[in-house]
């Protein structure tokens, strides 16, 4: 059966990823897990963008995604003085809940990249993009088929996603900068960032509790354009 153009693009990306991994780890031993897993994360992001790019999307949809992504990025920059207390995760999640998992994932990706243009790009950027994207995706799954805001479940999920996002960043830091890789060092990394992750979770709870309903009402008005 002939491969579609989309499948060919996926295949090319996967092959390039494998070739790159082979170049980094010629014998597939003594693997550099930090670089290898980052390449995997980047590959996932590229595949999502390919899927997004191949769809026929209205200009209204693209404008709304760009606007909300910029808003989420600005929210992170404004609150950068308070470690991990920021509305970005909440905004990504309420978009995902209201407009669907794809919109949530894309807004999470774009807001992380755009905010880092000011805060600083680095090897952490793909992981932040993936982390916020997955938060938007999870919120989209919660809101799938819903015609109203499931307020309490959404607030709880927002709090949990603060810890979930922190776990993703902890795993990246553990893989990239820690030796040896074992349970003791993983627990140590997680313990070091626990305060920041809790602040992130509490911030999500606060923003979701106060702004969840107003944001949902506003975003729902534009859902017909998405």
């Amino acid at each position: 059966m002939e491969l579609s153009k989309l499948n060919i693009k996926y295949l090319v990306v996967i092959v390039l990823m494998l070739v790159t991994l082979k170049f980094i780890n010629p014998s597939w031993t003594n693997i550099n897990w930090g670089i290898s897993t980052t390449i995997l994360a980047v590959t996932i992001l590229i595949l999502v963008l390919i899927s997004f790019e191949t769809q026929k999307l209205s200009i209204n949809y693209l404008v709304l995604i760009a606007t909300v992504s910029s808003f989420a990025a600005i929210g992170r920059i404004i609150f950068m003085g308070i470690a991990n207390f920021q509305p970005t995760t909440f905004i990504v999640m309420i978009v995902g809940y209201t407009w669907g998992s794809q919109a949530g994932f894309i807004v999470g990706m774009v807001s992380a990249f755009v905010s880092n243009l000011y805060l600083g790009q680095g090897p952490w950027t793909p992981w932040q993009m993936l982390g916020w994207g997955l938060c938007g995706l999870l919120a989209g799954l919660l809101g799938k088929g819903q015609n109203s805001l499931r307020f309490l479940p959404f607030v709880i999920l927002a709090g949990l996603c603060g810890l979930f996002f922190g776990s993703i960043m902890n795993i990246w830091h553990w893989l990239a900068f820690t030796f040896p890789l074992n349970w003791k060092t993983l627990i140590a990394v997680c313990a070091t960032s626990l305060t920041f992750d809790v602040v992130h979770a509490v911030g999500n709870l606060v923003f979701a509790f106060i702004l969840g309903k107003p944001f949902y009402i506003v975003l729902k008005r534009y859902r017909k354009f998405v």
Side-chain angles (χ1 to χ4, degrees), residues 66-76 87-88 91 111 215:
T67 301
V68 178
S69 298
S70 300
F71 188 69
I74 292 172
R76 183 184 175 206
T88 303
I91 295 173
S111 60
F215 267 66

Side-chain angles (χ1 to χ4, degrees), residues 1 24 58 62 66-67 110 137 142 145 165 174 179 202 204:
M1 185 175 69
I24 294 171
S58 68
L62 296 176
T67 301
V110 175
L137 185 148
L142 178 65
F165 180 88
W174 177 64
F179 182 84
V202 171
N204 289 353

Side-chain angles (χ1 to χ4, degrees), residues 37 73 75 81 114 117 152 216:
T37 53
V114 171
L117 292 175
L152 185 58
Y216 175 77

Side-chain angles (χ1 to χ4, degrees), residues 103-164:
F105 199 103
I106 294 298
V107 169
M109 287 176 55
V110 175
S111 60
F113 182 81
V114 171
S115 59
N116 280 353
L117 292 175
Y118 180 82
L119 298 175
Q121 303 285 0
W124 52 84
T125 299
W127 291 90
Q128 290 175 333
M129 294 171 70
L130 181 62
W132 268 311
L134 289 174
C135 288
L137 185 148
L138 290 174
L141 294 177
L142 178 65
K144 188 175 181 179
Q146 302 295 320
N147 292 317
S148 61
L149 177 63
R150 300 173 62 191
F151 182 70
L152 185 58
F154 178 80
V155 171
I156 294 174
L157 181 63
L160 293 176
C161 277
L163 302 177
F164 173 67

